[in-house]
Amino acid sequence: MAEKICVAVRVRPPISQDSSSGIFWRVEDNRISLHKLHGSPISGISYAFDYVFDETCSNAKVYELLTKDVIHAAVDGFNGTAFAYGQTSSGKTFTMNGSPNDPGIIHRAVNDIFQKIQMISDREFLIRVSYMEIYNEEINDLFAVENQKLQIHESLERGIFVAGLREEIVNNAEQVIKLLESGEVNRHFGETNMNARSSRSHTIFRMVIESKGTDIHSSGDYSSCDAIRVSVLNLVDLAGSERIAKTGADGVRLKEGKYINKSLMVLGNVINKLSNGAKQRAHIPYRDSKLTRILQTALGGNAKTSIICTLAPEEVHVEETKGTLLFASRAKRITNCAQVNEILTDAALLKRQQLEIEELRRKLQGSRSEVLEQEILKLRNDMLKYELEREKLETELEEERRSHKEREQRLRDQQLKIETLSSLVSDGDRSSSQGSMKESPTDECNYRGDGFKTPCFKAAGNVFVAMRSNNSELPDFSPLPDSFSNVADEDTWFKMNKGYVADFDSLQTTPARKVQSFPPQDITPDCSNDNYKEELQNLKRQLELVIKEKNKLERKHEEEVQLNGRLMGEISELKQELDVSNNSLEASKERYGSLEREFQLLKEERDSLLKSVSESSKKLTFVTDQKENILKDLNWEVQRRKDLEAEIKQFSVAFASRQRSLASIHGEFKSKIEKLRAENPVPLHKSLQY
């Protein structure tokens, strides 16, 4: 779904209240405009954005309104980017990093991500973080200071990435904050006339969020879904554009300012091209700057993006503020198509590792599980570090091979040049010897040391006879005589020498020489000899220069050979280091396997313990139920006993009272009988006497 980039403007508190012409910036709802001192707006200088924050706004409000949705979308699988843009000393670093009392966007985003992850129970997460800076158009790793001048690569699997950049696997916000603090120590800062602690580089804090859904079945086991979400969140703190006249930069600061302004100018060109729309859009120069190349997806692709433009409200910065507002207006017209990034390959680190370890880590309890958790986290970091080092070594080895091939090609070219110069030197020596032979007087017919007589040319006049041997190889070109008019063919040769054929195969022929032009023979002999001497001197001087150049090239060739030897030694050392890294990686994998087996044993032990605990729980429940029943019966018996005791007590009291009443009645009855007996003495029957 297409959506526009969210753009907001934030005005920092003014540093001074000085105003010469009486103009100021006024914030009204989501609009900012330039006003005169008496309150009337200046026509044509009014801009509306998604949000406009005045100088009283806090970082918490900026985060809630502007970037919170982007952060939550990153957890759900969307790519996200948030960055601050503006002139130097306008509050970009404060907005992104904040202060202890008012944390910035980066710190709030980190805490918010882990809080949201804890609330999601149906997905598992793995988070990797990296921190880089672009200083003078060179990418440096802020987590590892030894990783300098890193290169940007692109692949179908990973997209645009920085090769050799260290990534740390994290599992809580406190760990990320510590890494951020360690990275800030390695960042480049400097002092200018406008800012005591000015950022001299662009920084990009990147979080790669990988998540996998889990289904909980009735048996209690977890089954992994095939689709894995991989999202990239970029939090960017740009260095501010600056004018040299205001900052007073010179030397190193001047060089830094030039690179900063150049990259921001390219960013502005990219924003301008993107704001024209798809139909009018021409080539977009992402590759003109490393900043725009890294942020290519965020600026015009698959990402949710929010931009906060910071302004300095002072009147002296009105022109810079207008430029920032124009940049924000163009960015507001850019449309991105963000979508959830789901993959089904093994490219994600979360799927390459055994996720069962993560599931067991949640289930295990006790001190030993915490130790194993730290070991697993450390092992993951080591494996990730070894993979990055291996990629870096492979890249360096490929570059060394390419440079080695180039050096070999240069050495071959130099060797060919040396051979050519050597042949020229030998030709020059022979030409000088031939010239000396030409200057010496000769007879008309001389004998040579090869055993035959030079033919006489008296009959033919002043001519030169040329004949090629039948068995000798054809040279590239033949030496030219002084004049083509005085060359005799083979027929003339036979006529002059009466059929004598010389054995030219026994002669030692000189190598072929390039064609040289000689003066015509119509001049006088003395003048020809003088010219020839002068030319011979020139040839000797040229020969000396060629010999010097040859020696120089030979020395250079020896240096190249030595350098080649050293490079071969370095390549062998790099190969050894690569082997050591591979061995370490293999050892780590073995250790990983042993830990996995140990986890499997722990899982089995846990299952048996859970089974025994379950049985014990059932027995305990049964005993508890019996106990409760017995207690109920006991309580009922106790209560019954109490009731019986009460009844017995009542009966005893009633019985005692009745006994007393019976005793009194018996006494009365006895007294009455006694009285009756006394009154009527009657003899008793025998049965009554007893």
Side-chain angles (χ1 to χ4, degrees), residues 419-684:
E419 292 176 356
T420 305
L421 292 174
S422 299
S423 63
L424 291 176
V425 170
S426 61
D427 292 343
D429 293 338
R430 293 189 183 92
S431 64
S432 61
S433 61
Q434 290 176 3
S436 61
M437 290 174 62
K438 186 177 180 181
E439 288 180 358
S440 62
T442 57
D443 297 333
E444 292 179 346
C445 296
N446 293 330
Y447 287 93
R448 302 203 32 199
D450 48 16
F452 65 91
K453 184 178 179 180
T454 305
C456 183
F457 296 95
K458 289 182 179 180
N462 188 15
V463 297
F464 180 81
V465 180
M467 179 179 180
R468 181 180 292 116
S469 172
N470 294 328
N471 299 323
S472 61
E473 297 180 356
L474 292 176
D476 295 336
F477 43 81
S478 301
L480 295 180
D482 294 340
S483 176
F484 286 98
S485 62
N486 296 327
V487 177
D489 55 8
E490 293 186 7
D491 296 336
T492 307
W493 173 275
F494 283 111
K495 290 178 182 179
M496 292 169 53
N497 295 277
K498 299 178 181 181
Y500 177 78
V501 179
D503 187 10
F504 282 93
D505 292 333
S506 62
L507 296 177
Q508 295 181 354
T509 59
T510 59
R513 291 191 292 118
K514 293 184 179 180
V515 177
Q516 298 181 1
S517 60
F518 295 92
Q521 294 293 329
D522 54 354
I523 59 177
T524 60
D526 294 336
C527 182
S528 176
N529 291 335
D530 293 339
N531 292 335
Y532 184 76
K533 289 180 181 179
E534 183 178 357
E535 184 176 359
L536 183 61
Q537 294 295 329
N538 293 332
L539 288 174
K540 287 182 178 180
R541 286 192 294 271
Q542 293 178 5
L543 180 61
E544 292 176 356
L545 294 175
V546 170
I547 291 173
K548 290 181 180 179
E549 186 177 359
K550 175 186 175 183
N551 295 333
K552 183 178 179 181
L553 290 174
E554 287 179 349
R555 289 193 299 270
K556 190 173 181 180
H557 175 68
E558 292 176 357
E559 293 176 356
E560 292 289 339
V561 170
Q562 294 176 358
L563 179 60
N564 190 17
R566 290 196 299 270
L567 289 176
M568 291 300 294
E570 292 178 0
I571 290 173
S572 62
E573 292 178 358
L574 288 175
K575 288 182 179 179
Q576 292 176 359
E577 292 180 0
L578 183 60
D579 294 337
V580 172
S581 299
N582 290 332
N583 294 332
S584 301
L585 184 60
E586 292 296 331
S588 299
K589 289 181 178 179
E590 292 178 359
R591 188 180 176 189
Y592 179 83
S594 63
L595 285 175
E596 187 176 0
R597 289 190 294 272
E598 187 175 355
F599 265 112
Q600 189 66 29
L601 294 175
L602 288 173
K603 181 182 178 182
E604 295 176 358
E605 183 180 355
R606 179 190 58 80
D607 293 338
S608 63
L609 289 175
L610 288 176
K611 186 176 180 181
S612 60
V613 169
S614 178
E615 294 177 356
S616 300
S617 298
K618 291 180 180 179
K619 292 181 180 180
L620 181 61
T621 303
F622 179 72
V623 172
T624 303
D625 293 338
Q626 286 184 344
K627 182 180 177 181
E628 289 179 354
N629 294 330
I630 292 171
L631 287 175
K632 289 180 180 179
D633 295 339
L634 182 61
N635 292 331
W636 184 76
E637 291 293 337
V638 170
Q639 186 65 32
R640 184 180 177 187
R641 181 181 176 182
K642 289 180 180 179
D643 295 339
L644 288 174
E645 288 178 352
E647 290 178 358
I648 290 171
K649 188 180 289 186
Q650 293 177 359
F651 180 76
S652 299
V653 173
F655 181 76
S657 62
R658 182 164 294 184
Q659 188 177 10
R660 287 193 298 268
S661 63
L662 287 174
S664 62
I665 292 171
H666 179 68
E668 291 178 358
F669 182 74
K670 189 177 181 180
S671 63
K672 287 181 178 180
I673 291 174
E674 290 291 336
K675 186 178 181 182
L676 289 174
R677 282 180 179 177
E679 291 178 356
N680 298 311
V682 179
L684 296 175

Side-chain angles (χ1 to χ4, degrees), residues 4 17 49 58 61 81 83 124 224 250 261 458 551:
K4 292 186 178 295
Q17 299 295 334
F49 301 101
S58 63
K61 184 177 180 181
T81 299
F83 66 87
E124 293 178 334
S224 301
D250 57 357
N261 290 338
K458 289 182 179 180
N551 295 333

Side-chain angles (χ1 to χ4, degrees), residues 34-51:
L34 189 63
H35 286 247
K36 296 181 181 179
L37 184 61
H38 50 77
S40 60
I42 299 176
S43 62
I45 309 179
S46 180
Y47 305 89
F49 301 101
D50 295 314
Y51 303 100

Side-chain angles (χ1 to χ4, degrees), residues 89 123 135 138 143 147 217 223 351 412 416 429 439 476 516 531 580 669:
S89 74
R123 300 193 68 83
Y135 176 71
E138 294 178 353
F143 286 164
N147 295 339
H217 299 286
S223 64
K351 193 168 185 177
R412 286 195 294 269
L416 181 61
D429 293 338
E439 288 180 358
D476 295 336
Q516 298 181 1
N531 292 335
V580 172
F669 182 74

